[in-house]
Amino acid sequence: MELSPVLQKLKGFVYAEHQAGMAKLLDLWEKPLKDKLYKGETQQINSVESLGNGQLEVTLGPNESKFREGDMVCLHLGEAHIERIVSRATIEAEVDGKWLLRAKCEQTQIAKLQSSCFADPDGMDLTSFYDKALSDVATSPIGRNTLLPLLAHKLNTDLVDEDRLMMLQIMRKSVA
């Protein structure tokens, strides 16, 4: 069975979804700040303090946002689509109007955020992981023998149980 068309369709689907997600994120970043704050798509930040070891303590502004623990955010001065001061920060905890963020950033970058700044959703480029996963599907026995045939609607799903096998053997003996 030729599986490469199925693999190409799967790859096309994965990359189309990735592109759609990135386009959605860019569209959000480009919205007017005032609208994003009103809808809770952006969180105003009053202050940012480095705690060391890649941790930041962020004091939240007055608006309510949709962000929760585990979300990935970027910090910026008002235009995330132009300049993000801190990217791919993860909200580790939220307590008493503060977030504990985990982020890789330089201390000089933190200094830019001492006055009011903002947090928007962020994302990361996972294409290298997609490529590895698709390669594994294409080359592994379970990918070639199960997953790709399943996606092509050509997986042999006939069950062979012991009773059926014994019945076939009896039938063959009686015919012979």
Side-chain angles (χ1 to χ4, degrees), residues 1 26 29 71 78 91 117 133 141:
M1 169 183 13
L26 186 58
W29 286 346
D71 287 350
I91 302 172
C117 63

Side-chain angles (χ1 to χ4, degrees), residues 43-122:
Q43 175 65 56
Q44 184 174 355
I45 306 291
N46 288 340
S47 67
V48 177
E49 178 185 346
S50 176
L51 302 177
N53 294 325
Q55 292 186 320
L56 303 174
E57 182 180 80
V58 172
T59 303
L60 306 178
N63 72 302
E64 289 290 322
S65 73
K66 299 175 182 179
F67 298 110
R68 300 294 172 256
E69 288 179 24
D71 287 350
M72 186 179 292
V73 297
C74 63
L75 303 181
H76 59 91
L77 299 176
E79 296 179 314
H81 62 290
I82 295 173
E83 181 183 25
R84 291 171 299 287
I85 308 300
V86 174
S87 295
R88 296 186 300 275
T90 304
I91 302 172
E92 291 194 331
E94 181 177 0
V95 179
D96 297 328
K98 294 183 179 192
W99 286 343
L100 177 64
L101 299 180
R102 167 122 2 238
K104 292 181 182 176
C105 54
E106 299 292 324
Q107 194 62 36
T108 56
Q109 296 296 85
I110 305 302
K112 293 180 183 178
L113 300 171
Q114 292 312 308
S115 59
S116 183
C117 63
F118 305 91
D120 270 27
D122 204 359

